[in-house]
Amino acid sequence: MAEKFTVTPWEVKGDIDYDRLIEQFGTEHIDSALLSRIKKHTGGLHHFLTRKIFFSHRDLNWILDEYQKGNKFFLYTGRGPSGNTHIGHLVPWMFTRWLQDKFGADLYFQLTDDEKFLFKNELTLEETNSLAYENALDIIAVGFKMGKTKIFSDIDYAKTLYPHALRVSKKLTLSTVKSVFGFTDSSNVGEAFFTSMQSVPAFLPSAIAGKNIPCLIPHAIDQDAHFRVSRDILPKLGYYKPAAIHCRFLPALGSGGKMSASEKETAIYTTDSPEAVEKKIKKYAFSGGATSIEEHRKHGGNPDIDISYQWLTFFEEDDAKLKQIHDEYKSGKMLSGELKMILIEKLQTFLKEHQRKRESARKVLDKFIIRD
Ligand code: TYM
């Protein structure tokens, strides 16, 4: 049966059934036994875990087994610099920061300026490379540890990355990349090669250290196809398969699916002004409220489809506050406009702080970037 949704690294659309994705991709649920195991090491659980925003994984039990034996893992995540950062991108990064804090892990952060040049007709290599450094400010603003975090552009760190990417690509056939990514005969040849670059940071620290180090990759589920390839090939090169932990998408304001940088009105960017945040949410946030105030008071709203409420499940950390909002909205006591105002104020405060840190990041950018 054809699915009603599509999730690939380059296209996300439709009404996503996350349980079905777990089956389709062959990943595993994060169950309560695994949550207790994580909690043993971290003391508490991030609300992204308790609310199942991070909902799926590959080999997380193995990562914890190794950790318990004293074999620490490193973290690896990334960004394809095709434009400004939006608040959906921050979701895996905030969680990665939490993991870094709790497990004292080193982090490799890849900026795939090569990818965005190859996949976006309208962008030049100079533009994606310069966007990489703009995006790096957002990454640093998330609060990663200086000295434990290495950020690099594929283009500017190519001397180190390229020989390893060649080793990956030699084990990768055209027929595999066609079937995994859906490339056709009219795709450019760089696209077929690119996934080799995205595999490299998953074993680079092992290659440098001359011994295998476990790798954990936090990301939204759209990137999984790349790491299916990595998991197939890395053991053939003598390295561990990377483990991964996957999140859902912060939906777009209007239509659900995922927030996408190419849909400007329904995305909130990290650089948006308080006025822009207010305007976009008031105008575009899909409401689960009834059609009139009378109807709403009588029947209440539907938080499950209300985008403002859905966004608060990502950005309101306080469980008690979130529950109160949920109950008041569902009962009809709280109106859609009031719910939107709660979200607007939450995001305005969040972004004010983020923008302050983003500006300070300019001064320390060089301490995070590696190049060769
Ligand atoms: P990119 O730039 O599309 O996305 C960066 C990260 O954000 C996740 N993401 C989202 N998460 C929650 N809600 C959303 N609406 C949303 N949109 C995007 C992505 O899954 C990703 O984790 N090829 C990659 C860059 C990359 C990478 C990596 C990503 C290189 N190495 C390792 C993750 C892990 C890309 O274009 O990501």
Side-chain angles (χ1 to χ4, degrees), residues 76-81 86 88-89 91-93 110 112 115-116 194 198 217-223 226-227 247-251 258-259:
Y76 158 41
T77 197
R79 158 80 177 133
H86 63 58
H89 298 130
V91 171
W93 305 349
Q110 180 178 40
T112 53
E115 174 193 11
K116 292 300 155 176
F194 166 70
Q198 189 152 326
I217 314 175
H219 59 90
I221 192 79
D222 59 337
Q223 298 294 315
H226 287 295
F227 303 118
C247 66
R248 298 163 188 267
F249 303 109
L250 181 76
K258 88 161 184 170
M259 178 176 289

Side-chain angles (χ1 to χ4, degrees), residues 2-124:
E3 301 290 355
K4 293 196 200 73
F5 57 88
T6 308
V7 175
T8 77
W10 301 288
E11 188 183 26
V12 175
K13 64 171 200 244
D15 191 6
I16 303 157
D17 178 341
Y18 287 99
D19 288 333
R20 180 76 193 102
L21 270 187
I22 286 183
E23 277 172 39
Q24 231 182 52
F25 290 176
T27 66
E28 290 179 69
H29 285 276
I30 299 178
D31 59 16
S32 49
L34 187 49
L35 288 179
S36 317
R37 256 196 106 177
I38 298 170
K39 197 172 170 187
K40 243 193 241 158
H41 296 289
T42 55
L45 287 176
H46 195 284
H47 70 281
F48 287 171
L49 284 170
T50 54
R51 296 182 193 162
K52 299 202 175 302
I53 288 171
F54 272 81
F55 70 106
S56 153
H57 75 101
R58 292 183 186 275
D59 275 345
L60 199 49
N61 274 304
W62 168 74
I63 282 284
L64 294 173
D65 290 344
E66 291 298 312
Y67 186 77
Q68 279 165 341
K69 286 190 239 160
N71 195 11
K72 276 177 80 167
F73 59 89
F74 70 93
L75 292 159
Y76 158 41
T77 197
R79 158 80 177 133
S82 56
N84 289 333
T85 304
H86 63 58
I87 58 171
H89 298 130
L90 299 182
V91 171
W93 305 349
M94 292 190 293
F95 187 68
T96 304
R97 183 212 147 157
W98 181 80
L99 289 172
Q100 179 177 59
D101 286 350
K102 297 292 175 184
F103 290 94
D106 288 335
L107 167 65
Y108 275 68
F109 205 116
Q110 180 178 40
L111 296 165
T112 53
D113 37 13
D114 52 349
E115 174 193 11
K116 292 300 155 176
F117 167 67
L118 290 165
F119 284 86
K120 297 268 175 187
N121 276 337
E122 68 282 11
L123 290 175
T124 65

Side-chain angles (χ1 to χ4, degrees), residues 142-157:
V142 167
F144 294 111
K145 284 240 159 21
M146 197 187 285
K148 286 187 93 54
T149 305
K150 295 181 166 68
I151 305 175
F152 50 92
S153 119
D154 280 354
I155 295 168
D156 296 331
Y157 196 44

Side-chain angles (χ1 to χ4, degrees), residues 281-292:
I281 293 175
K282 282 191 170 159
K283 189 158 176 202
Y284 297 109
F286 183 80
S287 164
T291 42
S292 68

